[in-house]
Amino acid sequence: MKELEFLSDEVLSLMELREDVLFNKIPKEDVKYYIDEANRIGKSSAEVFKNSNLEEILKAKCIDVIIKESCEVRKLSLRGEIIFEDDNKKIIIYKDSIDQIYEVLKEYNFSLEEQDVYNMHLAHEFYHYLEYKNKAYTNDMLNKITVFSIGPLKRKATILKTRELAAHSFCKSILGLEFHPKLFDYMYLLKNNTISLEELKSYAENLSKEYL
Ligand SMILES: [Zn+2]
């Protein structure tokens, strides 16, 4: 695991934020603000639930958890999603996503059980559930950016990826994980040779140099 030490929580958050379609509209000096604040929001949301069992919380809130094989229908590789209607509250977890991560973890000799990976998915989606339920979306709580401006005419927008940053940090915190959940996505890409370790390293280094 030493070889992936350069992927700190902050770097992983930056890499995730970098995937936002509006990333280039964020003033460089504000990038750290979005990372720090999104992570703070996720972590502080987890405080309330510390030391409680995730599945029991969901049961108490009458949220059903459904495990589906995969989300082929939409031809997307989703890890999970939430369905939220008044009398219909569901978290859907995709088994192929759990399997995918679990296989990678084994190859890297992580001592995690499949149940732990399942809990990671659950915690992540539960954060999105809370955002929805409380009408407290992470991106809405953070400063808007200007995407377009001509004279006094300005169009503002929010940074959607901050929801993902917060969900990861919520997940890490509520489950007391030693590793940032986003790390597993990159481990998967490495194992599948989608990216080489050198490429990943230089990508992370360049991003950090520029924004952190
Ligand atoms: Zn998410």
Side-chain angles (χ1 to χ4, degrees), residues 73-129:
V73 193
R74 290 209 251 148
K75 301 233 183 288
L76 271 173
S77 66
L78 276 183
R79 302 217 178 275
E81 58 186 320
I82 53 165
I83 291 177
F84 199 112
E85 291 147 10
D86 278 346
D87 50 351
N88 187 8
K89 295 182 272 187
K90 279 182 205 152
I91 288 179
I92 298 172
I93 303 290
Y94 294 106
K95 196 173 174 305
D96 60 348
S97 174
I98 295 176
D99 293 345
Q100 195 186 63
I101 290 182
Y102 183 60
E103 287 308 310
V104 171
L105 290 178
K106 272 200 300 195
E107 284 190 52
Y108 274 93
N109 294 319
F110 263 82
S111 57
L112 283 179
E113 300 296 323
E114 220 165 335
Q115 180 70 31
D116 300 318
V117 181
Y118 167 77
N119 283 338
M120 279 168 47
H121 283 68
L122 213 51
H124 184 106
E125 293 310 319
F126 181 48
Y127 180 77
H128 290 316
Y129 168 88

Side-chain angles (χ1 to χ4, degrees), residues 146-156:
T146 305
V147 283
F148 171 85
S149 102
I150 299 179
L153 201 68
K154 281 188 171 48
R155 212 164 82 214
K156 301 267 185 182

